[in-house]
Structures are given as structure tokens and as C-alpha cells.
């Protein structure tokens, strides 16, 4: 019997069958009968899997399951060996001749996948940001070292990565003893990073859909995606971002089941729009002095502090660049009355001050003589 079959854990195999919606329907001569439905073939699992005859039957069951599920035995064995591994699948389109891919496209895709995973890890460990600046992060580096690049699937350009939980050490090991005495800093699990990454890609897909349909999106800084992720996803469209692609997420069956994931399809137009949007978020991430001209679209007085703030939609001028944005500005009581009148009369206003990152968004705090309605 092949050694790889001998390493199959019977309990893990049962967990896999349950996760794939197999059901135990009967017992027969020392085995449990499993099936996927009334019309499916049945698989027999030994009730004493560690006996010599039980191990042979277990090996046969693995082969039968692979045939019924129409997948390679090697793929099934790999999943059984890593029950808590979450998989990300990146499919490049359109389909091209089987077995070949231009080297430049493959290199670009691998680099983009690495950047997508790195942004997901940085967001999980450092928190959300419009644009993550280049700086080392030991926890992020350690997680990326655990990510595995899988073989591409035959006849396609599907790259798959797996985020795998780090192996546990034995209970009596010195490392475990030291970990109890000096616990490591808490942080998100590898599985949580994978879940958060899926959520971020779903948000980016929504942003790209809106941009492809409308050409613009309001409040770009408040969409919950980073410029890094948008630019990395756009690079999956090739050097000129002109190729569509799909991304799908599947969860290790050893985890609590996540909602079913359907592949996210990005058109070539969406890839191009994401690149432009990512560049825009990178520019917006730079705080500093700015002059903003536009219309007052909202006014607010905070209940507890009585602070006045207005929301301006317009153009921010910073150094030699101009950028459309929507921004909350804190102003004095006197200026607030002027802003009310400007809002009522639909007149332009101008504010000058320092844009700062605050409470997950961007704000400007003004003193006297930095607000006027003659713009």
C-alpha cells in the first residue's frame, strides 16, 4: 500500500466528507456507508481503520471518493494532509493553448498575487489604510513564508496559493514550555487573514464594477480598499491591464465553514479602472497642506462637543497636483453660519489647511481666516 495513503487520518477523512456534504446512511459488515445523494455511488469506510484490512479499505475509499468527485487523487490527498489550508485561485483569461503561458505574463501574475496576499496580511496586522507604505513587518513576512504556491491546473492558467496554519509543536517540547511562560503577542490567525483578504477583494470587485459602469465613484477614500490592493489586482490583467481574470476562495474543511464563495470575474475594463483608482488612492493617502474649492454638501453640529463641521465636495490642490475629493472640515461657529448661507445659495467655498488622517478617514481643521465664500 502506498505510503501517502497510510498517512490519511480517518477522522480527517470523515470531516472532509461532512464538509463536502456526504452523508453516512447505513452500516454494513463493519463499515459505514457514505453517499452524496440517492443517485450517487457509495463509499465504504472501515469502522476499525487501523487494522490491516481497515487500512486497505481506507485507501480504496480515498480512490473511490476522488473518482466520484472527478478530481485527481493527488489533489484529494493534498487536501487531507492540510485540512486547515485556505486556497486562493487566480485564473487568467482568456483561455490560451494548454500547457504554455508567456513568461512575461506568468511573471507579472506571480508578482501581482504576491502583492495581493501581502496587502491582505498588512491590512490584517496593521489595520486598514488608503495606501500601505513600504516598511518591514515581521509578522507579515512570517505569514507570507507560510503561503504555498500550488501547481497550476492542467489546461488552464489557474495559479493557486494556500495559506496554511503553522504546524503545532508537541506538548512536552521546550518551545511550548517557553511559549507558556512568555506568550507571543496576539494577532489574527492565518485563517482570519484569508477571510479578511476575501472580504477586501469583494470590496475591490464592487468598486471596479461601479467604475466600469459609471466611470467614477463618490468618496473614494471611504470605499474600504487600499491603493496597494487595487494596483495589485489590476496587474493580474497583464502588462497593459487588458486581460480579464477570475479569483475564487475556498476554505479548509478543518475550519468552521465560511459562506460559499463564487468566483469573482474582473473584466479587462475593470482591471484598467482599478489601476487608475489605486493611483488615485495613493495620491489621496498623502496628507499635508491643501487648498480645497467646492460646494458644501452637508453640515453637522456634534451633539456632545458642539463642534461644527461641513462636508465639501470639490477639488483639492496640493503642490502641483489636483484631485477631486469629498472632505469633512471642522470650522469655527462664525464660519459655520457663512457655510450655511453658501449651502443654501449653492455657492462655492474655499478652505485652506492641513489634511490629516483621522478616524479612518481624512479631515481638515480650520482656524480663522482660512474659510471664505468668494471662491
Amino acid at each position: 500500500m502506498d505510503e501517502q495513503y497510510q498517512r490519511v487520518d480517518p477522522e480527517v477523512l470523515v470531516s472532509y466528507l461532512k464538509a463536502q456534504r456526504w452523508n453516512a446512511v447505513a452500516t454494513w459488515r463493519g463499515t459505514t456507508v457514505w453517499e452524496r445523494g440517492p443517485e450517487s455511488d457509495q463509499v465504504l469506510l472501515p469502522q476499525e481503520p487501523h487494522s490491516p484490512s481497515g487500512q486497505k479499505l481506507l485507501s480504496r475509499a480515498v480512490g473511490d471518493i476522488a473518482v466520484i468527485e472527478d478530481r485527481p487523487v493527488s489533489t484529494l490527498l493534498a487536501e487531507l494532509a492540510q485540512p486547515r489550508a485556505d486556497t486562493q485561485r487566480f485564473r487568467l483569461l482568456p483561455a490560451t493553448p494548454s500547457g504554455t503561458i508567456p513568461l512575461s505574463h506568468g511573471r507579472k501574475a506571480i508578482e501581482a498575487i504576491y502583492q495581493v496576499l501581502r496587502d491582505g496580511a498588512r491590512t490584517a496586522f496593521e489595520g486598514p489604510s488608503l495606501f500601505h507604505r513600504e516598511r518591514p513587518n515581521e509578522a507579515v513576512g512570517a505569514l507570507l513564508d507560510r503561503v504555498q504556491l500550488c501547481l497550476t491546473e492542467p489546461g488552464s492558467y489557474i495559479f493557486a496559493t494556500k495559506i496554511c496554519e503553522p504546524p503545532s509543536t508537541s506538548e512536552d517540547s521546550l518551545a511550548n514550555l517557553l511559549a507558556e511562560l512568555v506568550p507571543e503577542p496576539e494577532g489574527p490567525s492565518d485563517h482570519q487573514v484569508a477571510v479578511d483578504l476575501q472580504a477586501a477583494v469583494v470590496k475591490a470587485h464592487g468598486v471596479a464594477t461601479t467604475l466600469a459602469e459609471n466611470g467614477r465613484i463618490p468618496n473614494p477614500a471611504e470605499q474600504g480598499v487600499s491603493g496597494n490592493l487595487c494596483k495589485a489586482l489590476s496587474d493580474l490583467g497583464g502588462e497593459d491591464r487588458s486581460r480579464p481574470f477570475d479569483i475564487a476562495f475556498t476554505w479548509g474543511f478543518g475550519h468552521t465553514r465560511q459562506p460559499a464563495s463564487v468566483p469573482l470575474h474582473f473584466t479587462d475594463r475593470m482591471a484598467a479602472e482599478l489601476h487608475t483608482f489605486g493611483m488615485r488612492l495613493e495620491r489621496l493617502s498623502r496628507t499635508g497642506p491643501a487648498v480645497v474649492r467646492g460646494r458644501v454638501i452637508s453640515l453637522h453640529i456634534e451633539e456632545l462637543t458642539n463642534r461644527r463641521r461641513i462636508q465639501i465636495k470639490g477639488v483639492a490642490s496640493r503642490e502641483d497636483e489636483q484631485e477631486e475629493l469629498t472632505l469633512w472640515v471642522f470650522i469655527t461657529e462664525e464660519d459655520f453660519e457663512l457655510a450655511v448661507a453658501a449651502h443654501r445659495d449653492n455657492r462655492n467655498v474655499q478652505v485652506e489647511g492641513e489634511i490629516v488622517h483621522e478616524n479612518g478617514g481624512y479631515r481638515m481643521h480650520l482656524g480663522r481666516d482660512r474659510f471664505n465664500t468668494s471662491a
Side-chain angles (χ1 to χ4, degrees):
M1 183 171 53
D2 197 311
E3 182 181 353
Q4 60 184 344
Y5 287 98
Q6 293 180 359
R7 292 197 296 266
V8 173
D9 186 328
E11 294 183 3
V12 169
L13 182 57
V14 169
S15 296
Y16 172 83
L17 292 175
K18 291 179 178 178
Q20 299 300 317
R21 295 182 173 83
W22 288 75
N23 298 298
V25 296
T27 58
W28 182 75
R29 293 188 178 183
T31 66
T32 303
V33 182
W34 290 77
E35 64 180 29
R36 300 189 78 177
E39 304 299 324
S40 77
D41 292 335
Q42 295 179 328
V43 170
L44 304 180
L45 293 190
Q47 295 176 346
E48 297 183 3
H50 299 293
S51 66
S53 60
Q55 290 182 0
K56 291 181 180 179
L57 188 57
L58 191 68
S59 300
R60 178 178 175 181
V62 171
D64 291 343
I65 292 168
V67 171
I68 294 170
E69 295 185 341
D70 191 24
R71 61 193 313 210
V73 176
S74 58
T75 303
L76 175 57
L77 287 170
E79 286 196 26
L80 294 175
Q82 296 178 319
R84 296 173 66 84
D86 300 314
T87 304
Q88 303 79 42
R89 299 172 75 249
F90 303 84
R91 182 185 182 199
L92 307 187
L93 297 170
T96 49
S98 174
T100 63
I101 185 172
L103 180 61
S104 60
H105 292 174
R107 177 176 176 270
K108 187 76 171 181
I110 293 296
E111 289 175 345
I113 290 168
Y114 180 84
Q115 295 297 336
V116 167
L117 294 172
R118 186 171 74 163
D119 181 75
R122 292 191 66 170
T123 299
F125 285 100
E126 300 173 2
S129 175
L130 279 187
F131 196 82
H132 293 288
R133 302 298 174 188
E134 291 291 341
R135 61 176 182 269
N137 184 307
E138 187 175 341
V140 172
L143 182 136
L144 291 174
D145 286 342
R146 293 194 292 274
V147 175
Q148 299 177 359
L149 178 64
C150 308
L151 292 175
T152 57
E153 299 179 16
S156 69
Y157 291 108
I158 300 177
F159 296 92
T161 55
K162 285 186 177 181
I163 297 180
C164 307
E165 299 265 337
S168 58
T169 55
S170 60
E171 293 185 359
D172 58 349
S173 70
L174 177 60
N176 232 19
L177 178 60
L178 292 175
E180 292 178 4
L181 295 176
V182 185
E184 294 183 359
E186 293 186 3
S189 67
D190 289 5
H191 176 61
Q192 188 59 52
V193 172
V195 172
D196 291 348
L197 174 63
Q198 184 206 28
V201 172
V202 169
K203 287 182 180 178
H205 183 268
V207 167
T209 301
T210 301
L211 289 170
E213 293 175 351
N214 303 329
R216 61 184 301 276
I217 194 166
N219 303 330
E222 299 176 12
Q223 300 306 310
V225 296
S226 72
N228 309 74
L229 179 64
C230 293
K231 292 168 68 176
L233 289 172
S234 73
D235 284 346
L236 287 168
E239 292 289 344
D240 53 359
R241 287 113 190 158
S242 61
R243 299 166 61 93
F245 57 92
D246 293 340
I247 302 179
F249 298 82
T250 56
W251 311 109
F253 59 87
H255 294 295
T256 302
R257 291 190 63 79
Q258 301 291 330
S261 170
V262 297
L264 297 169
H265 179 67
F266 292 79
T267 65
D268 53 349
R269 172 72 182 275
M270 292 166 70
E273 292 287 357
L274 276 177
H275 177 72
T276 302
F277 191 72
M279 298 292 288
R280 184 177 185 185
L281 290 182
E282 183 177 2
R283 291 195 299 270
L284 281 175
S285 70
R286 294 195 293 269
T287 59
V291 176
V292 181
R293 299 177 180 86
R295 300 291 176 91
V296 177
I297 62 173
S298 183
L299 304 108
H300 184 75
I301 301 177
E302 295 183 356
E303 186 175 348
L304 296 179
T305 64
N306 251 359
R307 291 195 307 174
R308 270 77 168 166
R309 56 186 166 97
I310 62 174
Q311 192 175 35
I312 299 176
K313 180 178 181 180
V315 176
S317 301
R318 289 180 284 195
E319 298 178 352
D320 296 330
E321 294 184 352
Q322 290 189 331
E323 184 72 30
E324 293 183 5
L325 53 67
T326 302
L327 181 74
W328 281 102
V329 182
F330 288 89
I331 61 177
T332 65
E333 186 174 348
E334 294 83 358
D335 286 339
F336 189 78
E337 297 303 321
L338 296 175
V340 171
H343 178 59
R344 182 189 61 228
D345 300 335
N346 198 29
R347 288 185 284 115
N348 282 342
V349 299
Q350 175 178 301
V351 294
E352 182 177 354
E354 189 90 4
I355 295 179
V356 298
H357 187 253
E358 183 177 279
N359 297 327
Y362 287 84
R363 308 284 188 265
M364 183 182 283
H365 295 260
L366 296 189
R368 282 187 191 279
D369 303 324
R370 302 176 80 182
F371 173 92
N372 70 73
T373 58
S374 59

